[in-house]
Amino acid sequence: MTTPLRLGIAGLGTVGVGIVRIVQKHGALLALRAGRPVEIIAVSARSKTKDRGVDLSAYAWEDDPVALAKRDDIDLFIEVMGGHEGPAKDATEAAIATGKDIVSANKALLAIHGQALAEAAENAGHVIRFEAAVAGGIPVVKSLTEGLAGNEITRVMGVMNGSCNYILTRMEDAGLSYEAVFEEANQLGYLEADPELDVGGIDAGHKLALLASIAFGTQVDFDSVELEGIGSVTIEDIHQAADMGFKIKLLGVAQMTGRGLEQRMSPCLVPDTSPLGQLQGGTNMVVLEGDAVNQIVLRGPGAGEGPTASAVMGDVMDIARGCRISTFGQPANTLRKARAARAAVPAPYYLRLKLLDKPGALAKVAHALGEAGISIDRMRQYDHTDTTAPVLIVTHKTTRTALEEALSDFKSTGVVSGTPVAIRIEAV
């Protein structure tokens, strides 16, 4: 009889339970597709007595995930606990040291320690797979490492946090403020225990750093990701951007430029007719661009029990079949350390200003933009209050440096009230 692939699962939250359900429900099908049985041998979680809605009685129990990782009767260690330090890191390192392959859904762990873990695993002749760590059920890691392996990747872009996309689309559809929809999303359980991981762009930034490493053959470098969350996006920005034919998305973009690797996760405007502009609710979308394929768009659920467990099992099945790909698509010791570039590629920008009701106010703003080398594509003024008038400006392509020069010069014009809003417009 063919030797089974024996699994140890660390973490029995939503994703861990989803994995158990798939193995229990589709055991015979998995064996046919893998050419060998796939069996759960042991599990580990914080509480043994908690009712998780699945029968765990057939599996050995370990209170300590490190002990689970060291068991002689498992071949593959599945880490779905989360956290970039502590038990998750300790157990992953123990699994590598004791000769296990690893499947992980832990984006934070890999974004911060991925290079060291990949080198350790590959030096020991083992693999780390992490499809579930990026964009849930969307097979974007497999697309980059396999389907698009014949391409030089030119850009990776996407909406990679469903909670943020829910908040932004809900604000637009219901006409509600950010604060109101944030509270609603929190009550519905859409946000992490620390909501800043979602709305601050950190969660999505981890994912972007992992994809950039695969796409550009560089060491994963989360510290160089420019992060800006959605907390400053107002309902006025959403409505007024819509008037100009745009949608606001928390957008991740990674691209290699002449100045280095640009990685940023920030609110951007995209055309409302584009696939990204039409993305609604908690769905994720990743756009991959390569020199041979041009552009492909991957869309699907970015989180949840079924989609994430499905991604884990895709990696499990590859390992069961004997498919052994380097963690980041090429040997970890060949990945180069990229020079970080800050928003190096020119782009148009959306500017929202409140101008004081003074003669020549618009002319002074236009002059400040011109002095910075920025030309105006479109401009719109809205009904003014007693003292100020909202003005929207869409610029032609410019650099971030020139934009910051203009924003600084606005202060000396004496006609701009408050802090201007500037949001990059991304070509899709």
Side-chain angles (χ1 to χ4, degrees):
M1 182 177 178
T2 305
T3 303
L5 181 68
R6 303 169 298 174
L7 313 180
I9 303 174
L12 291 172
T14 299
V15 180
V17 167
I19 297 165
V20 172
R21 292 189 200 280
I22 289 175
V23 174
Q24 291 181 347
K25 181 179 180 180
H26 297 306
L29 181 61
L30 295 175
L32 288 172
R33 289 177 171 173
R36 62 192 293 198
V38 176
E39 302 175 352
I40 299 171
I41 299 299
V43 297
S44 177
R46 291 178 181 174
S47 170
K48 186 176 182 178
T49 58
K50 180 180 178 180
D51 182 6
R52 296 176 171 86
V54 290
D55 183 7
L56 303 173
S57 60
Y59 315 135
W61 180 274
E62 294 285 358
D63 292 319
D64 181 3
V66 174
L68 173 67
K70 292 180 177 180
R71 288 181 67 106
D72 293 334
D73 57 353
I74 70 168
D75 308 302
L76 176 60
F77 179 69
I78 299 177
E79 191 275 291
V80 287
M81 294 180 289
H84 68 277
E85 301 291 350
K89 181 172 181 283
D90 294 343
T92 300
E93 290 174 338
I96 294 170
T98 54
K100 313 293 194 305
D101 292 325
I102 294 160
V103 172
S104 177
N106 192 336
K107 52 193 169 289
L109 175 69
L110 292 168
I112 295 171
H113 301 293
Q115 181 67 27
L117 292 172
E119 288 183 12
E122 292 172 23
N123 287 341
H126 299 291
V127 298
I128 300 176
R129 303 297 295 271
F130 59 91
E131 186 69 73
V134 182
I138 302 175
V140 60
V141 173
K142 182 177 282 288
S143 295
L144 281 171
T145 57
E146 298 179 43
L148 302 181
N151 286 255
E152 178 183 354
I153 302 301
T154 54
R155 183 168 64 158
V156 175
M157 174 172 57
V159 171
M160 303 176 195
N161 185 281
S163 299
C164 287
N165 202 53
Y166 168 83
I167 289 173
L168 293 172
T169 54
R170 175 72 172 147
M171 285 172 67
E172 180 177 19
D173 294 343
L176 296 172
S177 69
Y178 169 79
E179 291 77 15
V181 179
F182 174 92
E183 184 57 34
E184 178 184 284
N186 209 19
Q187 293 294 326
L188 291 170
Y190 291 172
L191 299 176
E192 298 275 1
D194 177 4
E196 187 63 18
L197 292 173
D198 287 315
V199 299
I202 299 169
D203 167 88
H206 288 146
K207 300 171 186 177
L208 182 67
L210 295 172
L211 293 182
S213 176
I214 300 170
F216 303 109
T218 57
Q219 294 181 15
V220 62
D221 184 11
F222 171 68
D223 288 340
S224 294
V225 179
E226 294 181 58
L227 293 177
E228 181 186 347
I230 63 171
S232 63
V233 177
T234 68
I235 188 64
E236 289 80 16
D237 289 322
I238 288 175
H239 286 161
Q240 291 167 5
D243 286 347
M244 306 286 269
F246 297 105
K247 302 285 187 181
I248 299 179
K249 300 292 181 184
L250 180 67
L251 194 65
V253 179
Q255 53 195 337
M256 187 64 72
T257 73
R259 296 183 181 180
L261 178 60
E262 180 180 327
Q263 301 179 91
R264 49 187 167 78
M265 183 64 63
S266 62
C268 289
L269 270 66
V270 296
D272 56 12
T273 56
S274 67
L276 284 165
Q278 296 177 35
L279 189 68
Q280 297 291 310
T283 307
N284 281 198
M285 180 177 287
V286 181
V287 179
L288 304 175
E289 296 176 354
D291 62 343
V293 76
N294 192 14
Q295 183 185 87
I296 66 169
V297 178
L298 303 172
R299 176 185 181 277
E305 177 184 310
T308 311
S310 170
V312 168
M313 288 306 300
D315 284 341
V316 170
M317 293 296 284
D318 274 352
I319 291 171
R321 293 166 175 148
C323 179
R324 308 186 69 76
I325 296 174
S326 300
T327 307
F328 295 105
Q330 66 185 63
N333 61 13
T334 69
L335 298 171
R336 67 189 190 281
K337 187 171 179 60
R339 182 170 70 252
R342 183 173 179 267
V345 177
Y349 281 82
Y350 156 99
L351 304 178
R352 178 169 60 83
L353 316 171
K354 287 186 178 179
L355 297 188
L356 296 177
D357 190 10
K358 292 182 177 182
L362 275 175
K364 290 182 179 180
V365 166
H367 179 74
L369 289 169
E371 285 293 298
I374 301 172
S375 61
I376 296 173
D377 179 31
R378 286 180 282 163
M379 183 167 59
R380 182 170 297 176
Q381 181 172 335
Y382 290 83
D383 291 340
H384 60 77
T385 64
D386 291 339
T387 59
T388 63
V391 173
L392 300 186
I393 296 171
V394 173
T395 75
H396 286 290
K397 285 185 178 182
T398 187
T399 64
R400 182 67 174 267
T401 301
L403 180 72
E404 290 176 350
E405 178 186 336
L407 293 176
S408 177
D409 289 346
F410 285 168
K411 298 175 184 177
S412 62
T413 62
V415 298
V416 177
S417 175
T419 302
V421 172
I423 305 177
R424 185 183 175 99
I425 300 173
E426 195 68 42
V428 178

